[in-house]
Amino acid sequence: ARHGLDGQMYGHFGEGCLHSRISFDLRIAEGLATYRAFLQDAADLVVSYGGTLSGEHGDGQQRAELLDRQYGPELIEAMREFKRIWDPDWKMNPGKVIDPYRLDEDLRLGTGYNPHRTETRFAYPDDDGDFAHAALRCVGVGKCRVPEGDQVMCPSYQVTREEKHTTRGRARLLFEMLQGDVITDGWRSREVFDALDLCLACKGCTGDCPVQVDMPTYKAEFLHHHYASPRRFRPRHAYAMGFIDQACRLGA
């Protein structure tokens, strides 16, 4: 099962894998305990049928703590010895596979999740009016990174090939902005502004994204707050378009 960043395990049957979609409330201790117990029970069930815990997405942090149930202590120790030979300082991807982090730590949410919330200009009816919840819509599928460009989203990524110009990258930056740990200047953030600047507001993501991330609306929300201070001037083309009705009256 694949783990979405919103605490959902999701997907479908295919390629010999069982994908499921189960909502876990990873913001409360009880939800975290349920999540952990489910993964442990699921791992035991899979191993009992001779299955594997790791599929097309690898072990990562979610499965690594459970690998000893599949491989046993002897093989795990052999993997540890191999890593010790080639990575004696434990610098290459620590906490994965060997001596892993717990599967319920370092989560995107957790019991300490309490993002900044402010009054918004848009309603976000599908997210209970909560911009922070809207920023959590992206679960990291990465459909916006399809290199062939056979869909609408995202034109700017098709040109730049930079993660920050994907729908996923922009959603992640908005999440970091609201958290305030990595991006500390909130709505005034230059990093978020630069990532959103090339968004064409084409609405391609609202149709192509499997979880309907609405980046044009998020961009408009961000720019409203970004320019809220009278000391922050918008670019000239914004005033030209914003006052086009006045210009038409003068022209008439």
Side-chain angles (χ1 to χ4, degrees):
R2 185 154 52 137
H3 174 222
L5 294 178
D6 60 348
Q8 293 184 330
M9 302 179 70
Y10 60 98
H12 54 274
F13 287 99
E15 301 179 4
C17 298
L18 171 61
H19 294 244
S20 59
R21 184 177 183 118
I22 307 170
S23 293
F24 297 95
D25 191 346
L26 302 184
R27 292 167 292 186
I28 61 174
E30 183 181 0
L32 287 169
T34 302
Y35 168 68
R36 180 177 183 82
F38 173 85
L39 288 180
Q40 290 174 321
D41 290 345
D44 290 338
L45 182 63
V46 168
V47 171
S48 72
Y49 282 101
T52 177
L53 305 179
S54 306
E56 60 207 88
H57 303 284
D59 300 319
Q61 184 174 330
Q62 186 203 23
R63 300 171 182 84
E65 186 186 349
L66 304 167
L67 291 181
D68 62 339
R69 299 168 186 244
Q70 176 175 327
Y71 296 117
E74 185 176 356
L75 274 178
I76 292 293
E77 184 57 36
M79 294 179 191
R80 182 179 288 107
E81 183 179 349
F82 183 85
K83 181 171 178 62
R84 191 180 297 118
I85 293 171
W86 296 103
D87 184 20
D89 296 325
W90 225 254
K91 291 184 177 181
M92 298 175 65
N93 211 7
K96 306 294 192 298
V97 183
I98 304 301
D99 298 334
Y101 299 122
R102 288 169 51 94
L103 57 87
D104 54 355
E105 67 178 335
D106 295 328
L107 297 175
R108 184 179 185 180
L109 301 181
T111 55
Y113 175 70
N114 186 28
H116 173 72
R117 288 178 168 87
T118 188
E119 185 177 352
T120 60
R121 298 295 295 179
F122 293 91
Y124 307 104
D126 295 329
D127 296 288
D128 297 325
D130 187 355
F131 182 74
H133 192 276
L136 277 175
R137 271 187 170 271
C138 175
V139 294
V141 173
K143 190 179 178 182
C144 48
R145 284 189 60 96
V146 175
E148 292 81 8
D150 56 354
Q151 56 186 10
V152 177
M153 72 169 182
C154 181
S156 50
Y157 170 72
Q158 295 300 329
V159 175
T160 66
R161 289 295 197 266
E162 293 186 48
E163 171 72 11
K164 71 177 182 178
H165 292 132
T166 64
T167 304
R168 179 177 70 178
R170 290 164 176 154
R172 179 69 194 188
L173 281 169
L174 288 170
F175 169 82
E176 297 287 0
M177 179 193 79
L178 295 174
Q179 281 288 81
D181 295 330
V182 178
I183 298 176
T184 57
D185 46 356
W187 298 103
R188 297 185 177 184
S189 169
R190 187 69 201 183
E191 294 91 342
V192 178
F193 179 89
D194 290 343
L196 292 172
D197 191 37
L198 293 186
C199 171
L200 303 179
C202 66
K203 289 282 186 176
C205 50
T206 60
D208 289 342
C209 176
V211 289
Q212 289 81 53
V213 170
D214 185 1
M215 196 52 63
T217 300
Y218 304 168
K219 175 181 179 178
E221 185 74 56
F222 172 81
L223 290 178
H224 167 75
H225 295 282
H226 186 74
Y227 289 116
S229 170
R231 293 173 297 176
R232 299 180 70 87
F233 294 102
R234 295 175 181 266
R236 283 179 292 179
H237 68 264
Y239 290 104
M241 292 300 296
F243 292 112
I244 194 171
D245 61 321
Q246 303 298 325
C248 287
R249 287 194 180 95
L250 291 174

